[in-house]
Amino acid sequence: MSEPEDELQGEQRESTKKKKKDKRSGKKKKKEEEEEEEGQSESVVLRGIFKLGKRSHDVLLTRTRLMWTPITPETPTGEACALQPDVMLLQDVFAVKVKRRRAAGQQSGGAVLGLALFCCKRRGRRLEEDTLHLHNASSEHTHIWYNTLKELLTGFSSRPRYLKVFINPSSHKKEAVHIYREHVAPLFKMAEVRTDITVTERKGHALSVMKECKLDEYDGVVCVGGDGSVAELCHALVLRAQLDADSPEKPVKPVLPLGIIPAGSTDVVSCSVHGVRDPVTAALHIVLGHLQQVDMCSFSSLGQLVCFGFSAMFGFGGRSLARAEKKRWMPSSRRREYALVKTLARLRPEDCQLSFLPVKKSNRNLFEHLDQDQDQDQDQDQDPESEGEESWMTNQGLYLSISIMSIPCLSPHAPQGLAPNTRLANGSAALIAVGNTSRSEFIKHLKRYSSSSGQFSFSFVETHAVSAVRIRPRSLIGWSEEESDDEDESKTTPIIQSDGVAFPWNIDGELVEIANEVLIRVHPRLITLYGEEVDEAESTVSCSCI
């Protein structure tokens, strides 16, 4: 591809990104204006006087918001100063408590001081806990407001009341239990969310529990762990939904949403729905009932389901993870950098047949304009194998890396994501195929993920929006200990090994070895996560190894 074409593609991408951003900001502004008009026209449920700080305020409560204005004395001319009221939306309030004055050691009772409203305040991509204190010494007045606020908050049906929580104590730095107790449990308690906690003891423990427990008792499921734990629970939720619906062949959308408390090393899925690796932000999304539908993929080989997940890497991504898994005794950051450098030093392409089914533009536009709560079962019924062979596009050759991602895969290492051109629920996945090239050019491609853009503006990189992908290994070298120790193999001539050799795949951060061809199929909006659509993750770390 020539330089002018590269520049043109770059300009088109920037233009498209700007249009999307303008469109989203326009929708947000319109929504805020509608909310403001709605607030002005809403009938007042309660009105009273409370002291905020040292000043008395006229406080109004409607069904959607709380508004307060300082009470100011009239001027000598008899005119009162017109002040704009402060506003708090009830959708941001997750708890209300009666404040009392109690003596040391007193557990109950005490003189009423007023109300405390616990709410969520946005600071960039983070959600932070905040408190509004309304002081009024009248017990009757305070309890009327307390009961009314409690009734209004109960009306938010998406907010959970009883959660099944899985904690992986072995994830990353083994801090999951501490993270939950220190940052998450207090918020759940304050919001009066009951929990049933299982601390997992082994890989597959959460899956076995999910197959047996009575899910109709819960309003949602929560995972405290890394991407591997998240992938296991997402897989378990879909399998359980299939079991309950007696549908072993067709994926079924789970009824319960999944909340993710990040406690891993990269937390790609959590970053993609929260924009930041922060347990408080994740917990507040859960207690406030912020729901986001998300596309998933199924991975199968020779007609047998391997797993459900969000992303997969074949080639460089799979081999680097396989190397990292053999150095589990290292600290996670050091292990990751070691594997990256070692795999780059012995860079070799994979010889395979790559087939993919491009997504239909009409279907993609449909998903982009659908409301969040609309179901897409009719699109999930579509079988890629039923498409005519002419619909599939097939390439054969040498590839350094092939990635399939149904979510943007945001992380602190790649703030705009490994697949910035896809969305959480647009009904398609991003296929990123990196052809054979020199080591220096491949490193340039990798380094651009940590910057703003340009990682795809290389002649050896191709990207497609797809609904299905099939990867068929041909003359490939499989993963073995001997391959790790052999320094002299050429990177341009893959070695043909005997049949049955397994090849490493990185599926949602978990190493999966598969010997045969793999079919990846996109299932639009198959699962619901607690969170929201974000454009970019907070960048807090950088890799110095390349």
Side-chain angles (χ1 to χ4, degrees):
M1 190 179 293
S2 65
E3 290 184 6
E5 288 176 338
D6 286 346
E7 292 176 2
L8 181 60
Q9 282 194 0
E11 290 174 1
Q12 289 174 344
R13 276 193 296 272
E14 292 298 325
S15 176
T16 304
K17 190 184 295 183
K18 187 177 178 182
K19 286 179 182 177
K20 286 182 179 179
K21 192 171 182 180
D22 291 344
K23 189 176 180 181
R24 283 191 295 272
S25 62
K27 285 182 179 178
K28 187 176 180 181
K29 189 175 180 181
K30 185 178 179 183
K31 187 178 179 182
E32 288 174 352
E33 290 174 354
E34 289 174 354
E35 287 177 348
E36 188 176 345
E37 291 174 3
E38 185 182 347
Q40 293 173 354
S41 61
E42 272 186 321
S43 59
V44 176
V45 176
L46 283 177
R47 184 170 187 171
I49 296 176
F50 288 90
K51 185 175 283 188
L52 280 79
K54 295 182 178 180
R55 297 185 65 179
S56 295
H57 288 68
D58 182 16
V59 183
L60 301 178
L61 176 66
T62 72
R63 301 195 67 82
T64 63
R65 66 196 64 217
L66 187 77
M67 297 174 284
W68 61 95
T69 310
I71 297 175
T72 57
E74 291 183 351
T75 63
T77 59
E79 296 179 357
C81 298
L83 298 174
Q84 285 294 326
D86 289 304
V87 178
M88 175 186 289
L89 299 178
L90 293 189
Q91 67 184 22
D92 295 330
V93 179
F94 61 88
V96 56
K97 306 291 181 185
V98 175
K99 296 179 63 177
R100 296 179 183 273
R101 180 182 288 112
R102 289 174 179 165
Q106 185 178 355
Q107 298 296 321
S108 60
V112 171
L113 298 177
L115 294 171
L117 276 70
F118 299 92
C119 60
C120 155
K121 182 173 66 176
R122 287 186 179 269
R123 195 178 295 275
R125 298 174 190 87
R126 292 177 181 266
L127 302 185
E128 297 179 354
E129 177 195 347
D130 198 12
T131 309
L132 177 68
H133 298 279
L134 302 176
H135 298 281
N136 190 307
S138 169
S139 177
E140 181 182 358
H141 183 70
T142 298
H143 277 92
I144 289 173
W145 276 75
Y146 171 77
N147 292 330
T148 305
L149 281 165
K150 290 283 287 185
E151 182 183 347
L152 292 175
L153 293 181
T154 307
F156 292 100
S157 58
S158 63
R159 297 186 179 184
R161 291 286 167 250
Y162 191 24
L163 293 170
K164 177 63 183 175
V165 180
F166 291 91
I167 303 176
N168 179 6
S170 302
S171 64
H172 193 34
K173 297 179 181 178
K174 301 184 179 180
E175 295 178 341
V177 174
H178 172 77
I179 288 172
Y180 180 78
R181 286 178 178 169
E182 292 296 316
H183 302 289
V184 181
L187 288 172
F188 284 176
K189 183 179 180 180
M190 195 179 298
E192 298 180 359
V193 177
R194 295 183 299 126
T195 56
D196 176 16
I197 300 174
T198 296
V199 179
T200 58
E201 299 172 357
R202 64 188 183 281
K203 188 175 181 179
H205 186 186
L207 177 60
S208 60
V209 172
M210 285 292 293
K211 285 182 178 178
E212 303 297 332
C213 69
K214 294 182 179 179
L215 293 183
D216 54 0
E217 298 178 356
Y218 308 110
D219 301 311
V221 179
V222 173
C223 171
V224 187
D227 287 322
S229 304
V230 173
E232 181 180 336
L233 268 172
C234 288
H235 177 70
L237 279 167
V238 178
L239 285 185
R240 178 59 189 269
Q242 287 182 285
L243 198 65
D244 292 343
D246 193 20
S247 175
E249 300 297 329
K250 175 189 170 186
V252 178
K253 183 174 184 175
V255 175
L256 299 182
L258 175 68
I260 304 168
I261 306 297
S265 55
T266 52
D267 299 305
V268 164
V269 183
S270 176
C271 281
S272 295
V273 292
H274 303 146
V276 64
R277 291 173 61 201
D278 177 44
V280 172
T281 297
L284 287 172
H285 277 300
I286 294 170
V287 299
L288 291 170
H290 296 163
L291 300 179
Q292 173 65 49
Q293 296 189 65
V294 180
D295 300 336
M296 285 191 75
C297 295
S298 60
F299 303 90
S300 57
S301 181
L302 300 182
Q304 296 295 316
L305 177 70
V306 176
C307 64
F308 291 97
F310 300 100
S311 65
M313 298 181 189
F314 180 71
F316 179 80
R319 291 185 181 275
S320 60
L321 178 62
R323 278 198 171 87
E325 288 298 307
K326 294 185 177 182
K327 304 293 181 182
R328 296 294 296 181
W329 53 269
M330 287 185 178
S332 61
S333 59
R334 185 183 171 193
R335 181 173 68 243
R336 185 169 52 245
E337 292 193 2
Y338 163 83
L340 185 62
V341 171
K342 201 76 171 177
T343 309
L344 282 172
R346 302 176 186 180
L347 190 64
R348 62 166 55 86
E350 311 286 3
D351 188 5
C352 61
Q353 182 185 83
L354 172 64
S355 303
F356 58 92
L357 194 59
V359 70
K360 295 177 181 177
K361 288 186 178 181
S362 57
N363 286 353
R364 194 173 189 188
N365 292 337
L366 176 66
F367 280 105
E368 288 176 353
H369 292 91
L370 279 172
D371 292 330
Q372 292 292 321
D373 57 351
Q374 285 186 273
D375 197 2
Q376 282 303 312
D377 288 339
Q378 69 273 18
D379 290 88
Q380 293 180 21
D381 291 340
Q382 184 182 350
D383 185 358
E385 297 294 343
S386 66
E387 293 280 341
E389 284 299 319
E390 67 277 2
S391 300
W392 285 81
M393 299 185 68
T394 301
N395 297 324
Q396 290 188 169
L398 303 177
Y399 291 94
L400 291 175
S401 172
I402 300 175
S403 303
I404 304 96
M405 300 175 181
S406 64
I407 61 176
C409 292
L410 308 180
S411 76
H413 302 280
Q416 293 195 345
L418 298 177
N421 295 333
T422 195
R423 310 292 291 174
L424 291 174
N426 64 353
S428 67
L431 168 63
I432 304 166
V434 182
N436 193 24
T437 188
S438 66
R439 183 182 290 107
S440 60
E441 286 297 298
F442 184 64
I443 290 175
K444 286 181 184 177
H445 161 69
L446 293 180
K447 290 180 75 171
R448 290 192 184 181
Y449 276 105
S450 61
S451 61
S452 58
S453 61
Q455 61 268 45
F456 306 133
S457 58
F458 295 92
S459 59
F460 53 86
V461 179
E462 55 179 299
T463 63
H464 305 276
V466 299
S467 57
V469 177
R470 187 191 294 116
I471 297 177
R472 179 175 297 160
R474 297 198 304 162
S475 306
L476 275 170
I477 179 169
W479 178 256
S480 65
E481 191 66 43
E482 290 76 18
E483 186 267 356
S484 297
D485 297 331
D486 192 347
E487 296 279 354
D488 301 323
E489 294 176 15
S490 167
K491 80 176 185 68
T492 57
T493 312
I495 293 179
I496 302 175
Q497 294 199 345
S498 58
D499 293 338
V501 172
F503 307 106
W505 283 75
N506 180 340
I507 300 181
D508 289 324
E510 291 291 295
L511 178 63
V512 180
E513 295 186 346
I514 307 173
N516 301 291
E517 76 170 39
V518 176
L519 173 66
I520 301 102
R521 178 183 171 190
V522 181
H523 304 281
R525 305 187 178 198
L526 183 58
I527 197 165
T528 303
L529 303 181
Y530 286 106
E532 60 189 3
E533 184 88 62
V534 292
D535 294 321
E536 189 173 341
E538 183 176 273
S539 179
T540 56
V541 298
S542 60
C543 179
S544 59
C545 57
I546 56 175

